[in-house]
Amino acid sequence: MTATMTRPVRLPRLRQLRERVSPRTDFAIRRLGRLVVSLVVVVLAAFFLVHLVPGDPVRAALGPTAPAGLVESTRVALGLDQSMPQQLLNYLSGLLRGDLGTSIQSGLSVSDTIASRFPTTLTLAALGFAVAVVGALPIGMGAALIARTRRGRTVNGGISGFLGVLIAIPDFVLAVGLISVFSMWLGLLPPAGWGDGPDAVLPVLALSLGAMAYLARIVQVEMIKVLDSTYITTARAKRLPQRLILFRHALPNIVTATLTVGGLLLSGLVAGTVIIETVFAVPGAGSTLVSAVGTKDYPMIQGMVLVYAAMVLAVNLVVDLILITIDPRTTIAEG
């Protein structure tokens, strides 16, 4: 009797609690839940995929001439002699303790390696994103203004075509081209390495040019739509200064689309550091991941993939939270 009486009471209480939660909070909770689910999927996918790769990781790490006894003892020490379900349980329990394991190749802690390599990767991605945004806004806005002039269609078509070419070029091809021109031909910049000043120029450019072209194209299209809108026509009829129309009336109305695309591009730039670091021999997480894949270093691959995925998902979550602050109605409706 008591159980049947409490059921009708609990349901209204749950409904009342849900109604008290603001739409923004509910949106943030749902996005955070998706992030957790995505991380779980990434962890499981990384574990099973690396174990499906043919070959013996211990033999690859120790070399073909290593004694069989050493290979077997190393395999036992790393727990690779156990069944796959047991290895998965060991890996998950280690994750809960914050232990990502030990590298088969170097014998160093995966967590320590990530802590020493990821600052370089984050710096490269942040610089690439900054260059992309700073370059895309004036290029996109300028192309939109040119398109509205009498003779601007030809120039605008040329700008759009050039941006399209930059978007289509793969990152590694662009990187090799930059090295050929600025290092091998002109001798202005070092072809590889990472550090302050000139060493960072080519890696940052190779990472950012494609993203800058894509973002500039979005800004161009959105700005043309805004400039053709009624309220911009009204502002011009009031003879407001062109600078005021652009920066106070037009620019705020393209922020949502630009920020959405910019967030996706930042996620792509984080993932794109793998290629750029490999081409320019940058000592970051991307080049470490490529090296780990070549040597079948299971713990290092799993740790790097997990951290990369966490970074990309975190960027997407932050962008969503910023968007819900700027434009709550559109974001909540979509989410």
Tab-separated table of all heavy atoms in Angstrom, residues 265-289:
chain	number	residue	atom	x	y	z
A	265	LEU	N	36.471	23.942	-36.990
A	265	LEU	CA	37.827	24.063	-37.533
A	265	LEU	C	38.878	23.872	-36.450
A	265	LEU	O	39.926	23.269	-36.696
A	265	LEU	CB	38.005	25.434	-38.186
A	265	LEU	CG	37.265	25.652	-39.498
A	265	LEU	CD1	37.483	27.077	-39.994
A	265	LEU	CD2	37.720	24.661	-40.560
A	266	LEU	N	38.612	24.377	-35.240
A	266	LEU	CA	39.570	24.183	-34.155
A	266	LEU	C	39.723	22.711	-33.826
A	266	LEU	O	40.838	22.233	-33.590
A	266	LEU	CB	39.117	24.968	-32.921
A	266	LEU	CG	40.029	24.873	-31.694
A	266	LEU	CD1	41.454	25.280	-32.033
A	266	LEU	CD2	39.476	25.732	-30.558
A	267	SER	N	38.611	21.982	-33.831
A	267	SER	CA	38.697	20.535	-33.629
A	267	SER	C	39.520	19.879	-34.731
A	267	SER	O	40.342	18.997	-34.474
A	267	SER	CB	37.285	19.932	-33.596
A	267	SER	OG	36.508	20.505	-32.570
A	268	GLY	N	39.298	20.331	-35.971
A	268	GLY	CA	40.074	19.798	-37.082
A	268	GLY	C	41.541	20.158	-36.997
A	268	GLY	O	42.416	19.353	-37.357
A	269	LEU	N	41.843	21.355	-36.489
A	269	LEU	CA	43.235	21.760	-36.341
A	269	LEU	C	43.947	20.921	-35.288
A	269	LEU	O	45.124	20.565	-35.447
A	269	LEU	CB	43.315	23.240	-35.963
A	269	LEU	CG	42.919	24.245	-37.051
A	269	LEU	CD1	42.965	25.660	-36.507
A	269	LEU	CD2	43.813	24.116	-38.262
A	270	VAL	N	43.249	20.593	-34.206
A	270	VAL	CA	43.844	19.732	-33.179
A	270	VAL	C	44.196	18.376	-33.777
A	270	VAL	O	45.296	17.839	-33.561
A	270	VAL	CB	42.883	19.581	-31.986
A	270	VAL	CG1	43.403	18.526	-31.019
A	270	VAL	CG2	42.714	20.907	-31.256
A	271	ALA	N	43.267	17.802	-34.555
A	271	ALA	CA	43.553	16.520	-35.201
A	271	ALA	C	44.598	16.666	-36.302
A	271	ALA	O	45.411	15.759	-36.522
A	271	ALA	CB	42.265	15.939	-35.790
A	272	GLY	N	44.602	17.814	-36.987
A	272	GLY	CA	45.552	18.024	-38.073
A	272	GLY	C	46.988	18.184	-37.627
A	272	GLY	O	47.910	18.071	-38.444
A	273	THR	N	47.213	18.428	-36.340
A	273	THR	CA	48.582	18.543	-35.843
A	273	THR	C	49.358	17.238	-36.021
A	273	THR	O	50.596	17.267	-36.070
A	273	THR	CB	48.590	18.935	-34.359
A	273	THR	OG1	47.814	17.989	-33.607
A	273	THR	CG2	48.006	20.329	-34.159
A	274	VAL	N	48.663	16.118	-36.116
A	274	VAL	CA	49.350	14.838	-36.305
A	274	VAL	C	50.162	14.866	-37.603
A	274	VAL	O	51.346	14.484	-37.624
A	274	VAL	CB	48.331	13.679	-36.327
A	274	VAL	CG1	49.022	12.356	-36.621
A	274	VAL	CG2	47.588	13.601	-34.995
A	275	ILE	N	49.549	15.323	-38.688
A	275	ILE	CA	50.231	15.374	-39.984
A	275	ILE	C	51.320	16.435	-39.982
A	275	ILE	O	52.450	16.194	-40.422
A	275	ILE	CB	49.211	15.641	-41.104
A	275	ILE	CG1	48.200	14.499	-41.193
A	275	ILE	CG2	49.916	15.834	-42.443
A	275	ILE	CD1	47.083	14.740	-42.175
A	276	ILE	N	50.990	17.617	-39.483
A	276	ILE	CA	51.946	18.730	-39.525
A	276	ILE	C	53.170	18.423	-38.676
A	276	ILE	O	54.311	18.701	-39.085
A	276	ILE	CB	51.267	20.033	-39.058
A	276	ILE	CG1	50.077	20.362	-39.974
A	276	ILE	CG2	52.265	21.172	-39.047
A	276	ILE	CD1	50.434	20.498	-41.426
A	277	GLU	N	52.980	17.856	-37.506
A	277	GLU	CA	54.117	17.523	-36.650
A	277	GLU	C	55.010	16.465	-37.287
A	277	GLU	O	56.236	16.500	-37.130
A	277	GLU	CB	53.619	17.033	-35.288
A	277	GLU	CG	53.024	18.133	-34.429
A	277	GLU	CD	52.519	17.625	-33.091
A	277	GLU	OE1	52.746	16.441	-32.776
A	277	GLU	OE2	51.883	18.401	-32.360
A	278	THR	N	54.397	15.553	-38.007
A	278	THR	CA	55.187	14.518	-38.672
A	278	THR	C	56.019	15.106	-39.805
A	278	THR	O	57.206	14.777	-39.962
A	278	THR	CB	54.261	13.418	-39.211
A	278	THR	OG1	53.479	12.881	-38.138
A	278	THR	CG2	55.063	12.294	-39.840
A	279	VAL	N	55.424	15.986	-40.609
A	279	VAL	CA	56.142	16.576	-41.745
A	279	VAL	C	57.286	17.470	-41.273
A	279	VAL	O	58.399	17.414	-41.809
A	279	VAL	CB	55.171	17.370	-42.634
A	279	VAL	CG1	55.932	18.105	-43.739
A	279	VAL	CG2	54.129	16.444	-43.252
A	280	PHE	N	57.030	18.285	-40.242
A	280	PHE	CA	58.027	19.262	-39.797
A	280	PHE	C	58.864	18.770	-38.610
A	280	PHE	O	59.627	19.562	-38.040
A	280	PHE	CB	57.332	20.574	-39.417
A	280	PHE	CG	56.787	21.341	-40.583
A	280	PHE	CD1	55.458	21.230	-40.940
A	280	PHE	CD2	57.599	22.163	-41.339
A	280	PHE	CE1	54.934	21.936	-42.019
A	280	PHE	CE2	57.095	22.878	-42.424
A	280	PHE	CZ	55.768	22.756	-42.762
A	281	ALA	N	58.730	17.505	-38.243
A	281	ALA	CA	59.504	16.926	-37.135
A	281	ALA	C	59.324	17.736	-35.855
A	281	ALA	O	60.279	18.015	-35.124
A	281	ALA	CB	60.987	16.842	-37.501
A	282	VAL	N	58.091	18.108	-35.582
A	282	VAL	CA	57.776	18.839	-34.354
A	282	VAL	C	57.629	17.826	-33.218
A	282	VAL	O	56.874	16.866	-33.345
A	282	VAL	CB	56.476	19.651	-34.518
A	282	VAL	CG1	56.105	20.349	-33.213
A	282	VAL	CG2	56.631	20.669	-35.636
A	283	PRO	N	58.321	18.015	-32.098
A	283	PRO	CA	58.263	17.036	-31.009
A	283	PRO	C	56.995	17.174	-30.173
A	283	PRO	O	57.034	17.528	-28.982
A	283	PRO	CB	59.514	17.368	-30.187
A	283	PRO	CG	59.713	18.828	-30.400
A	283	PRO	CD	59.276	19.107	-31.815
A	284	GLY	N	55.859	16.892	-30.776
A	284	GLY	CA	54.583	16.994	-30.090
A	284	GLY	C	53.894	15.654	-29.966
A	284	GLY	O	54.467	14.591	-30.237
A	285	ALA	N	52.624	15.708	-29.570
A	285	ALA	CA	51.863	14.479	-29.378
A	285	ALA	C	51.563	13.785	-30.699
A	285	ALA	O	51.493	12.554	-30.759
A	285	ALA	CB	50.563	14.788	-28.641
A	286	GLY	N	51.374	14.557	-31.777
A	286	GLY	CA	51.045	13.964	-33.068
A	286	GLY	C	52.154	13.087	-33.609
A	286	GLY	O	51.912	11.956	-34.049
A	287	SER	N	53.377	13.601	-33.594
A	287	SER	CA	54.505	12.802	-34.075
A	287	SER	C	54.740	11.592	-33.175
A	287	SER	O	55.139	10.525	-33.649
A	287	SER	CB	55.767	13.661	-34.147
A	287	SER	OG	56.055	14.244	-32.883
A	288	THR	N	54.474	11.748	-31.875
A	288	THR	CA	54.592	10.610	-30.953
A	288	THR	C	53.569	9.537	-31.277
A	288	THR	O	53.864	8.336	-31.230
A	288	THR	CB	54.416	11.086	-29.505
A	288	THR	OG1	55.356	12.120	-29.224
A	288	THR	CG2	54.630	9.940	-28.528
A	289	LEU	N	52.354	9.962	-31.625
A	289	LEU	CA	51.311	9.000	-31.989
A	289	LEU	C	51.681	8.245	-33.256
A	289	LEU	O	51.507	7.017	-33.329
A	289	LEU	CB	49.981	9.738	-32.180
A	289	LEU	CG	48.800	8.903	-32.677
A	289	LEU	CD1	48.504	7.755	-31.721
A	289	LEU	CD2	47.566	9.775	-32.863
